[in-house]
Amino acid sequence: MLGACLSTTTAGTVYLFSTYGPALSHKLHLTSTQSNLVAISANYGLLLSGPFFGWAADTAGPKVLSVFAALVSCTAFSALAYTFDGSLALPNWIVLAGYMVLVGLAAQAANMAAVTTTTKNFKQNRGSAVSLCIAFFGLSPFVLSHINSLFFASGDTPNTFGYLKFLSYLGLTASTLGALMLSVVGFGPSRYRRDVPDGFVVDVASDFESVASADHPRSSEDSEDRGLLIHARSGIPKPNGADYDAITQSLASPQQNPVPSDSEIESAITDTLQPSSAAAAAQTTVAGTTDDGVDYDTARDLGGLAYISDPEAQLLALVMFLSAGIGVFYNNNVGTIVNALYYSSTDTPEPNVAQRLINNHVATVSLASFLGRLTIGVVVDFCKRMWRVPRSGVLVFVVLNTVISQVIVGSAESLTMLWIGSAWTGLSYGFIFGFVPTLVSVWFGTKYFGSNWGLTSASIGFSGQALGAFFGFIYDSNVPDQDPSKCYKGGCYRDAFILSTGVSLFGLLVAVVLARSRGDRRRENRRLWEAQEVNDIEYVPFILAE
């Protein structure tokens, strides 16, 4: 966990553009639109590389990704520092955007190494473990923005060059340590084997075919597996390896039938049970359909084309596109918003004061995001166990918070009101990123988690870029000379938040549709479970411990 948290600390530097972006844009004479395009380039590098780095995390492991993150993060922030200093020539702003792409690539590599390793190594309380890991992704901007205020923006003129050099050294150190620590646990046991919970119906033929052929000698582990699968299909008490071997040996005929069929073994096991044991087993099976913690959700090991073509995976990606992109958009523009509200309401503005205000708002977003990421996993795990609250219902609550945050920020006419908007935006953004990765692992399995989460989160970059570009267009149209003192009470950019509010409302509608779809599936699973009308179920239900 320490290695994962160090890695996501490096990944969190992608959200720090607002702490150095305004100074960098002023030094290089960038317009608001150009500054937005540079900022969103980091998110393109972060999000669009998700499928690749997710696949790499599933196949190559965390160490290679963490070393890559260390080297690229150091290179990118060093290039930004020397570009600001004038030592490195900059032909145009597109080169600056290329540096930010490298920042995003380093962040995604570190993030995937940490989150994938954590997901595959935790089976119980996975939501809490993943949310703790991702929480440091959101916390690092809070800590680093305060470091900027204390050590690099304390004088009359902010030391942006020193701050960028500090970020380059941080990325190199944190990701290197993360590589050493994450390599201790590696992929995790769930990469190789997925346990079948007691009492669940599975496809015995397909699951056992690879180990139960006549040409394949059975080991004690095979005996355990086959006994478990027979138990899962029939509902009778599970035989251990020794009991299974004793029964099969008594049934086997070396000349005619050296490998007894499942039905023969099942009948023999049933005959050896005492009536009271059989009755108790039946009672246990019936009780398991209602109040013993059975989750009628589904766990599937989907990946690749099967995942992309799944309707619920598509709806979940659309929810992320519409909701999480808003957090990216606000993170990249909060510096411009703070400058506009500060300069337009102060007769004698001071650049160092404006920079500290920006740092404080970035810190507020970061701290709220950290709290959201940290608490949502614990709350969901608790509510699922205690009150059987479906995860799809929690998703609706999470997206609703995004709508509220945009209403608050869009109506903020002073820095005081903006504090609330920044906090709520960070909290809702943290809810999404602390919850949806766990949702992906629970609904679609952990075998291809890295690739699946990368595909789901990749869409965020497009909506964040579109909203950011619209913000820059509106701001440049109303303030063509880039003078923030002319933006009275945020009137120069308010139309952008009207659009973001509408986008978040559409995301809420999609989340409700997805929740209804999951509800229908849970009810159908429960009907099949209680009626026991089928021998094979495509989706294997799972218990809360998973």
Side-chain angles (χ1 to χ4, degrees), residues 150-216:
L150 291 173
F151 298 103
F152 301 102
S154 56
D156 294 335
T157 303
N159 182 11
T160 305
F161 173 79
Y163 178 57
L164 289 170
K165 287 294 292 180
F166 165 74
L167 293 180
S168 70
Y169 297 140
L170 174 72
L172 180 64
T173 304
S175 285
T176 301
L177 291 175
L180 295 174
M181 295 180 181
L182 290 175
S183 62
V184 173
V185 293
F187 293 107
S190 60
R191 168 179 164 81
Y192 304 106
R193 181 187 177 101
R194 188 155 167 261
D195 295 335
V196 180
D198 291 352
F200 287 87
V201 181
V202 295
D203 187 346
V204 177
S206 61
D207 285 351
F208 192 66
E209 183 178 359
S210 61
V211 298
S213 65
D215 297 330
H216 182 77

Side-chain angles (χ1 to χ4, degrees), residues 195-204 207 224-239 266 269 285 529 532 534-537 540-541:
D195 295 335
V196 180
D198 291 352
F200 287 87
V201 181
V202 295
D203 187 346
V204 177
D207 285 351
E224 291 281 1
D225 289 343
R226 196 178 189 194
L228 176 61
L229 293 173
I230 293 171
H231 157 67
R233 185 179 65 179
S234 62
I236 61 179
K238 179 178 66 177
E266 193 173 307
I269 295 174
T285 303
W529 175 275
Q532 296 186 7
V534 295
N535 291 326
D536 301 330
I537 295 180
V540 182

Side-chain angles (χ1 to χ4, degrees), residues 58 148 195 218 280 302 342 349 374 490 512 522:
D58 286 336
N148 185 21
D195 295 335
R218 290 194 180 90
L302 291 186
Y342 172 69
L374 184 64
V512 171
R522 282 192 302 274

Side-chain angles (χ1 to χ4, degrees), residues 69-134:
L71 296 176
V72 174
S73 178
C74 180
T75 301
F77 279 110
S78 295
L80 289 172
Y82 289 114
T83 298
F84 180 86
D85 187 54
S87 302
L88 191 62
L90 182 69
N92 52 52
W93 63 269
I94 298 178
V95 177
L96 194 65
Y99 297 154
M100 294 303 295
V101 169
L102 293 180
V103 172
L105 291 175
Q108 188 63 280
N111 178 56
M112 281 298 179
V115 176
T116 302
T117 305
T118 302
T119 300
K120 292 177 181 292
N121 280 277
F122 280 84
K123 190 170 183 179
Q124 293 186 342
N125 299 314
R126 183 183 298 157
S128 302
V130 172
S131 64
L132 175 63
C133 168
I134 295 179

Side-chain angles (χ1 to χ4, degrees), residues 386-410:
M386 296 300 296
W387 302 311
R388 311 288 188 264
V389 177
R391 294 179 180 87
S392 55
V394 177
L395 181 64
V396 174
F397 165 77
V398 166
V399 177
L400 178 61
N401 277 273
T402 303
V403 178
I404 296 173
S405 70
Q406 294 310 286
V407 172
I408 295 174
V409 173

Side-chain angles (χ1 to χ4, degrees), residues 291-317:
D291 298 323
D292 68 341
V294 171
D295 187 347
Y296 296 100
D297 222 318
T298 56
R300 300 172 284 173
D301 275 332
L302 291 186
L305 184 61
Y307 178 80
I308 296 173
S309 60
D310 184 79
E312 291 176 350
Q314 295 169 358
L315 286 175
L316 187 60

